[in-house]
Amino acid sequence: MKNLNFKSLYPHALAVLAFLLLTVVYFAPTLQGKDLVQDDAINSRGWGQDLREYHEETGEYAHWSNAMFGGMPANYTYMPESPNVFRHIGRFLTLSWMGWTGRHNGYIFLSFICFYIFLLSMGCRSWLSFMGAVAYTLCSYNFIIINAGHMNKALVMATMAPIIGGVVMCYRGKLLCGSLVTLLFAGLNIYWNHQQISYYLLLTLLILAVVYGVYAVREKAFAPFLKATGVLAVVAVLAILPSVGQLWPTMDYTKESVRGGAVLQPKGGDEAASSGLDIDYAYAWSYGIDETLTLLVPNIYGASSHYNLGTDSEVYKVLRPAYGASQAKQVVRQMPAYWGAQPFTSGPVYVGAIVCFLFVLGICLVKGRERWWLVAATLLSLVMAWGKYLPLVNNFLFYHLPLYNKFRAPSMALVIASLTMVTLGILAVAEFMKRRNEGGCEKELTRSLLISFAVAGGLSLLLALFGGAMFDFSAPGDGGYPSVLVDALRADRENMMLSDAWRSFLFIAAAFAALLVYVHTKMRSGYLVAVLTLLVLADLWTVDKRFLSWDMFVPKRAATEITPTAADKVIMRDTHPDYRVLNLATSTFNDSRTSYFHKSVGGYSPAKLRRYQDIIDTYFSRDLNMNVLNMLNVRYVIIPSEEGGPQVQMNPEAYGNCWFVDSIAWASTPDEEIQAIGDGDLLSCAYIEKSWQQQFTHSKEYCNPVDSASYIVLDEYRNPGHITYKSNAQAAHLAVFSEVYYKTWKAYIDGKEVPLLRANYLLRALPVPAGEHKIELRCVDEVILTSAKISLISSLFVGLLMLLLAGVLIYKKVKE
């Protein structure tokens, strides 16, 4: 070990300690046992709550949840944890072993470390890599999504940078180190499973590979390029294999979800909807073209839809005389300050005024392949984020770019710009210092500085001086407020933009001055980086505090506890194991809290079953169709009340768990079938699409009058994926269950497997012969079971391989 230079590790150790300190300070309330109230995280706890409880009680997993949307597969609710080597690595890197309250601490620490590794792999020195890690991690979007509870998104975003770094190292000839870095972080990226962010990463890597390929051809080095590409392809497969236990079930389910395309005839001939999302739904959260200025000026479009305007605001001055100081303070904490193009938002994507300035400097100074792929990826990010506001390009992408129509919220594409703009900015500083130290470049560097300052600083100054006349600061929802309050709100929005524009200009001016002094004096490079780092830290930290501050932390129990309402408690007195609840006192199909306590027909999921979404769109989007609610066995309806909290109404007309029908009506198409159930007599007739006729060839034998002595009833509700019924009838009948049909369900009559059908567009149905019988419905997803075995074997192999690669690297370092 004598050849190892331990002194070279000191800067990295100091960087890690500094990252840890920044994380601890920012999330200091967690040291007191406090946590954030993360609305989306709380909302998601209703997903598969029955599966979670069953697993905690028995140690076993079920493959079906009845908690929301009348029933959903475990694939997207509470899937069994498959063995994965990257799960253990991820727990170590996110500091889960330290026992911190909340997981956000570890996520931010991971982001610091990942970007630091990335810039080191790009050839940057440690102090410059530290600056870049601070700039990227403190981008406002990282803290906004943490406050919302989008933890997997945050984790996957963190791993984007080192994956790119590993790829770059491979293309630069460092195959061993590059392969290890790429494998490690690609494995984590896939395990943490946010496919839309991973998709944006793939697009970025594709741009990088094309640019590197072009340069390889020009430099007549195409053979090494192909070799590196081949190695990376193998690494990609190895990174995927341990996560097959997650990916395969998810992919299998996606085909049946809203992301898998339409069952009904698409409206307006929308071709993409037949294989993915509806374009209007997918592009709802498009970033306005002008709104892109938030990258430079954070509150130019009013920050968020529920922003704290403070007691210095015009709104507060209007409200205080009418409501008093105390109530006015409460109201101004949640004002609709945002007036941009999105339906609503929790905050802007702000990469930093100094980062924008350095990004322009990078365009001027950085030469070669790095500039081209970084600029190209940034432009792609902006264009994709604009979504419906640039239809000529984005509609083409939606209909022709593979898999693109599976994702929604184009604004999320700005995660690419956050990464590429910081990267090019840091490379600009590195190039700036290199040329200054080489000497003779003062004029060129000064000219580049002036151009960058004119672009970034000039735009900020323009907005600060004339922004009030350039916009009207009106939002679509302003019409619901009194005119005097709207005028005050518009004035506050204008003041927010003007103050932030001046703020950005001053930060840019300070960075410009530091670089100018560096060019024309003998200022040490370390001092320059220290000054820039402090400026970046001050810029981003203070903006982040607007959206995630210490006063947002509450005692952990208050942050995570979901308390049943009085209405919930009334319904919970009913101990019958199988009925459903419709909650009209909340956003029925965008809130999953009801699913935490009851089997709900509502909930929230961006990937619910396609057929269930069709039912919502057809029968629940405007008026409620009681026929459909009855077939879903909705026994209780929670309604809002002006007298106080929500109230409960019982629905005595609900059809129950199952029933016999005496006739079958065959529908030619899914459209005909779904229309028929709206006003059909569902208690006596089952509506089935004709495609099932080949499986149900003896249907006429089961079309018999149902006498009063015949019955089919729920016998035992063992778990969400195993239900037992008993029946007795004088003649054969078709039984219809108030349970959502899915391909993983199997039916057994007296222990013998029999075919299960789909009826009434959505439900399970079963031909039951005459006599007394025991009927079992079991949900067993073979894909989940098989993929878990693949994950186990792959994890063992990949884990040993990474240890081997690390060992070889250490051995080579010792031998140097």
Side-chain angles (χ1 to χ4, degrees):
M1 301 291 290
K2 62 181 180 180
N3 293 326
L4 282 176
N5 183 7
F6 287 102
K7 288 185 178 180
S8 65
L9 300 178
Y10 291 163
H12 307 312
L14 289 174
V16 171
L17 289 174
F19 294 146
L20 187 60
L21 178 62
L22 288 172
T23 304
V24 168
V25 171
Y26 200 100
F27 294 102
T30 62
L31 299 177
Q32 303 170 349
K34 294 184 178 182
D35 205 348
L36 291 169
V37 180
Q38 298 169 306
D39 289 338
D40 287 353
I42 292 175
N43 196 20
S44 68
R45 288 179 62 192
W47 299 13
Q49 175 62 15
D50 52 348
L51 298 186
R52 191 176 295 107
E53 291 175 349
Y54 176 72
H55 178 235
E56 290 173 354
E57 291 174 5
T58 67
E60 299 176 357
Y61 287 98
H63 292 173
W64 184 263
S65 169
N66 277 318
M68 63 182 183
F69 298 126
M72 289 183 69
N75 311 49
Y76 217 86
T77 51
Y78 186 73
M79 193 164 64
E81 186 74 57
S82 62
N84 193 324
V85 64
F86 293 109
R87 175 163 64 95
H88 304 289
I89 296 173
R91 284 182 57 81
F92 175 78
L93 292 179
T94 55
L95 307 179
S96 298
W97 49 274
M98 291 185 66
W100 266 340
T101 298
R103 298 177 295 170
H104 11 277
N105 320 58
Y107 297 165
I108 290 299
F109 178 74
L110 176 71
S111 183
F112 280 130
I113 294 296
C114 284
F115 211 85
Y116 182 77
I117 292 172
F118 163 59
L119 289 177
L120 289 176
S121 69
M122 295 290 290
C124 296
R125 301 291 294 273
S126 58
W127 58 83
L128 203 51
S129 299
F130 179 85
M131 173 185 165
V134 169
Y136 176 75
T137 300
L138 297 185
C139 170
S140 68
Y141 190 65
N142 290 328
F143 291 83
I144 288 167
I145 61 175
I146 285 175
N147 193 20
H150 298 172
M151 297 308 187
N152 281 48
K153 183 192 295 186
L155 288 166
V156 174
M157 284 173 56
T159 58
M160 290 173 66
I163 294 171
I164 295 173
V167 171
V168 169
M169 281 196 287
C170 286
Y171 281 134
R172 290 179 177 178
K174 300 178 180 179
L175 288 176
L176 187 60
C177 187
S179 297
L180 179 59
V181 171
T182 305
L183 178 56
L184 172 61
F185 290 101
L188 290 169
N189 182 285
I190 296 165
Y191 165 69
W192 280 319
N193 195 28
H194 194 288
Q195 294 164 12
Q196 186 166 352
I197 300 297
S198 297
Y199 186 82
Y200 292 141
L201 171 63
L202 286 174
L203 294 179
T204 306
L205 290 174
L206 179 61
I207 292 172
L208 185 152
V210 169
V211 171
Y212 268 74
V214 170
Y215 271 84
V217 172
R218 289 175 55 183
E219 295 168 2
K220 297 181 180 180
F222 199 60
F225 172 81
L226 286 179
K227 180 181 178 181
T229 302
V231 169
L232 287 170
V234 173
V235 167
V237 173
L238 292 173
I240 291 170
L241 284 175
S243 293
V244 165
Q246 294 170 280
L247 297 177
W248 188 5
T250 300
M251 291 172 60
D252 186 58
Y253 169 70
T254 298
K255 293 180 288 187
E256 310 292 332
S257 76
V258 293
R259 298 173 186 262
V263 176
L264 302 176
Q265 187 67 29
K267 296 179 181 179
D270 189 345
E271 297 176 3
S274 64
S275 61
L277 297 172
D278 176 78
I279 191 169
D280 292 334
Y281 173 73
Y283 278 2
W285 266 265
S286 297
Y287 221 67
I289 295 177
D290 291 344
E291 194 174 351
T292 311
L293 290 169
T294 62
L295 298 172
L296 175 68
V297 179
N299 281 7
I300 186 172
Y301 268 85
S304 75
S305 302
H306 41 79
Y307 193 65
N308 185 359
L309 294 177
T311 55
D312 294 329
S313 65
E314 296 300 317
V315 169
Y316 178 78
K317 295 175 184 176
V318 169
L319 292 176
R320 181 176 178 177
Y323 296 98
S326 178
Q327 189 171 353
K329 286 180 182 179
Q330 292 299 318
V331 173
V332 297
R333 289 177 64 86
Q334 296 289 327
M335 289 302 297
Y338 176 71
W339 56 280
Q342 301 176 83
F344 61 85
T345 181
S346 297
V349 179
Y350 177 60
V351 300
I354 296 172
V355 168
C356 291
F357 166 62
L358 295 178
F359 175 74
V360 179
L361 184 63
I363 295 175
C364 296
L365 288 181
V366 178
K367 306 297 182 183
R369 63 200 78 190
E370 310 305 348
R371 177 176 67 177
W372 291 116
W373 77 261
L374 287 167
V375 170
T378 304
L379 292 175
L380 177 66
S381 173
L382 300 180
V383 167
M384 294 177 76
W386 292 335
K388 63 184 177 183
Y389 301 108
L390 192 63
L392 183 64
V393 176
N394 285 314
N395 285 9
F396 176 83
L397 294 177
F398 187 81
Y399 290 114
H400 297 94
L401 187 64
L403 301 178
Y404 189 53
N405 62 6
K406 308 290 185 184
F407 305 115
R408 66 185 189 121
S411 58
M412 208 182 297
L414 290 175
V415 300
I416 300 175
S418 300
L419 187 152
T420 53
M421 291 179 70
V422 172
T423 304
L424 189 56
I426 295 301
L427 293 181
V429 177
E431 183 67 19
F432 195 90
M433 293 189 299
K434 176 185 174 184
R435 295 193 192 184
R436 182 267 208 177
N437 291 334
E438 289 175 350
C441 299
E442 288 82 1
K443 290 184 179 180
E444 180 186 356
L445 294 177
T446 302
R447 183 171 62 250
S448 297
L449 271 179
L450 290 172
I451 293 172
S452 304
F453 182 68
V455 173
L459 183 54
S460 300
L461 186 60
L462 178 67
L463 291 170
L465 294 174
F466 306 108
M470 296 167 63
F471 308 100
D472 66 2
F473 306 98
S474 297
D478 288 349
Y481 297 94
S483 59
V484 64
L485 186 60
V486 171
D487 290 341
L489 188 55
R490 291 174 61 186
D492 285 329
R493 291 167 178 164
E494 180 179 352
N495 291 334
M496 291 166 67
M497 185 206 72
L498 296 177
S499 62
D500 268 5
W502 279 114
R503 178 186 184 281
S504 292
F505 174 75
L506 293 175
F507 271 111
I508 290 171
F512 168 76
L515 288 163
L516 196 62
V517 168
Y518 178 76
V519 170
H520 296 287
T521 66
K522 295 182 179 180
M523 180 181 183
R524 295 179 61 179
S525 298
Y527 292 157
L528 172 67
V529 175
V531 169
L532 291 177
T533 301
L534 289 174
L535 287 172
V536 168
L537 180 63
D539 177 15
L540 295 173
W541 186 285
T542 51
V543 171
D544 293 338
K545 283 293 183 179
R546 300 175 182 179
F547 306 103
L548 203 169
S549 60
W550 284 359
D551 61 5
M552 294 179 180
F553 288 82
V554 298
K556 184 174 178 60
R557 183 174 179 180
T560 58
E561 188 175 39
I562 301 178
T563 305
T565 64
D568 291 323
K569 292 177 181 178
V570 169
I571 298 173
M572 290 162 69
R573 295 172 190 163
D574 188 336
T575 58
H576 194 279
D578 201 14
Y579 59 83
R580 292 197 177 86
V581 176
L582 171 67
N583 191 348
L584 299 178
T586 185
S587 181
T588 307
F589 301 110
N590 288 290
D591 190 296
S592 298
R593 287 174 175 83
T594 306
S595 301
Y596 190 82
F597 302 105
H598 315 291
K599 299 176 182 67
S600 172
V601 294
Y604 170 74
S605 171
K608 65 178 74 70
L609 283 167
R610 175 77 264 179
R611 285 180 174 267
Y612 201 90
Q613 182 64 55
D614 293 339
I615 291 290
I616 293 172
D617 294 340
T618 306
Y619 292 115
F620 302 151
S621 60
R622 295 182 181 178
D623 298 320
L624 295 175
N625 184 291
M626 291 306 300
N627 215 31
V628 176
L629 287 177
N630 289 338
M631 84 170 191
L632 291 172
N633 195 23
V634 176
R635 188 184 300 178
Y636 296 100
V637 180
I638 302 175
I639 59 173
S641 171
E642 296 180 358
E643 300 174 357
Q647 295 182 348
V648 179
Q649 285 187 348
M650 188 170 185
N651 174 28
E653 305 298 324
Y655 295 162
N657 313 105
C658 47
W659 60 94
F660 283 136
V661 297
D662 52 27
S663 63
I664 298 170
W666 295 100
S668 300
T669 65
D671 295 77
E672 184 179 318
E673 183 184 8
I674 196 172
Q675 291 300 322
I677 66 175
D679 53 11
D681 184 1
L682 302 183
L683 275 176
S684 61
C685 181
Y687 296 87
I688 305 178
E689 189 187 344
K690 282 186 176 179
S691 60
W692 290 90
Q693 280 184 319
Q694 292 182 348
Q695 184 171 329
F696 193 20
T697 55
H698 303 294
S699 59
K700 292 182 179 180
E701 299 177 10
Y702 293 87
C703 294
N704 299 302
V706 181
D707 59 77
S708 59
S710 299
Y711 65 82
I712 178 169
V713 294
L714 178 70
D715 183 40
E716 187 178 5
Y717 188 93
R718 299 186 180 182
N719 66 61
H722 189 181
I723 310 175
T724 304
Y725 305 84
K726 58 183 179 180
S727 71
N728 195 356
Q730 297 296 318
H733 295 293
L734 180 70
V736 178
F737 303 89
S738 62
E739 307 288 346
V740 172
Y741 174 89
Y742 190 66
K743 60 188 178 182
T744 52
W745 279 95
K746 294 183 179 181
Y748 301 84
I749 297 179
D750 300 328
K752 180 180 179 181
E753 184 176 352
V754 292
L756 190 65
L757 308 176
R758 184 180 62 231
N760 297 349
Y761 194 75
L762 187 70
L763 303 183
R764 301 169 210 160
L766 184 69
V768 180
E772 187 174 349
H773 301 285
K774 176 183 178 182
I775 299 168
E776 289 183 271
L777 299 183
R778 299 177 189 168
C779 181
V780 179
D781 195 331
E782 296 295 340
V783 171
I784 290 178
L785 299 176
T786 303
S787 61
K789 296 175 183 177
I790 296 174
S791 285
L792 175 60
I793 297 170
S794 302
S795 290
L796 293 172
F797 175 77
V798 172
L800 291 172
L801 178 62
M802 287 193 294
L803 288 175
L804 177 62
L805 292 176
V808 172
L809 277 173
I810 294 172
Y811 177 77
K812 285 191 171 184
K813 190 69 176 177
V814 171
K815 296 292 288 184
E816 287 179 357

